[in-house]
Amino acid sequence: MSDTIFITGLVIHARHGVMDHETEVGQRFVIDLELSADLSESSRTDRLADTVSYSNVVATATAAFKDVNYKLLERAAGAVADAVLTAFPKISAVKVTVHKPHAPIAAIFDDVGVILTRTRKP
């Protein structure tokens, strides 16, 4: 059985990108997380200790995303996935979506980004 905790629309200002102005000024990114975990215990006990704290997940994801300036969104998303899986043993898989709505692309578009799914290694 696998249940899902989700966090959507986490807005973070960071300096990821391949262009100089992206690393100097930075820009707004939006992160969505889907966390797979067995929530059967917490659904019975109503105890925070039996689940995963959303607040702690947000803090972990934010730190992983902001602590290093990456050239690629793929690497930034991978850092978030790795950090979440490392910090929270109850999470069996994580899906990280990183939106870069102001990417320097010479086109009119709503959004661009990456989606990575990582599972815990046995």
Side-chain angles (χ1 to χ4, degrees):
M1 171 188 345
S2 184
D3 304 311
T4 303
I5 293 171
F6 66 90
I7 299 165
T8 59
L10 176 60
V11 177
I12 300 173
H13 184 271
R15 300 172 186 264
H16 305 307
V18 296
M19 303 182 92
D20 288 341
H21 72 276
E22 292 180 293
T23 58
E24 290 168 11
V25 177
Q27 62 190 288
R28 176 180 172 263
F29 295 86
V30 182
I31 298 177
D32 302 327
L33 301 168
E34 288 186 27
L35 314 169
S36 296
D38 183 352
L39 302 177
S40 58
E41 186 71 15
S42 60
S43 70
R44 285 191 300 274
T45 66
D46 198 29
R47 293 177 0 149
L48 181 58
D50 295 330
T51 190
V52 177
S53 165
Y54 313 151
S55 178
N56 292 346
V57 170
V58 167
T60 299
T62 300
F65 194 76
K66 288 183 75 165
D67 282 354
V68 177
N69 296 344
Y70 299 108
K71 290 183 170 73
L72 301 179
L73 284 187
E74 293 85 343
R75 181 63 195 111
V80 170
D82 293 344
V84 168
L85 287 174
T86 299
F88 303 97
K90 290 182 176 166
I91 296 174
S92 59
V94 59
K95 179 178 175 182
V96 180
T97 303
V98 178
H99 305 264
K100 188 174 181 180
H102 303 292
I105 300 171
I108 297 171
F109 62 94
D110 286 332
D111 200 5
V112 64
V114 299
I115 301 171
L116 297 183
T117 302
R118 298 291 180 263
T119 56
R120 180 171 305 287
K121 294 183 168 107

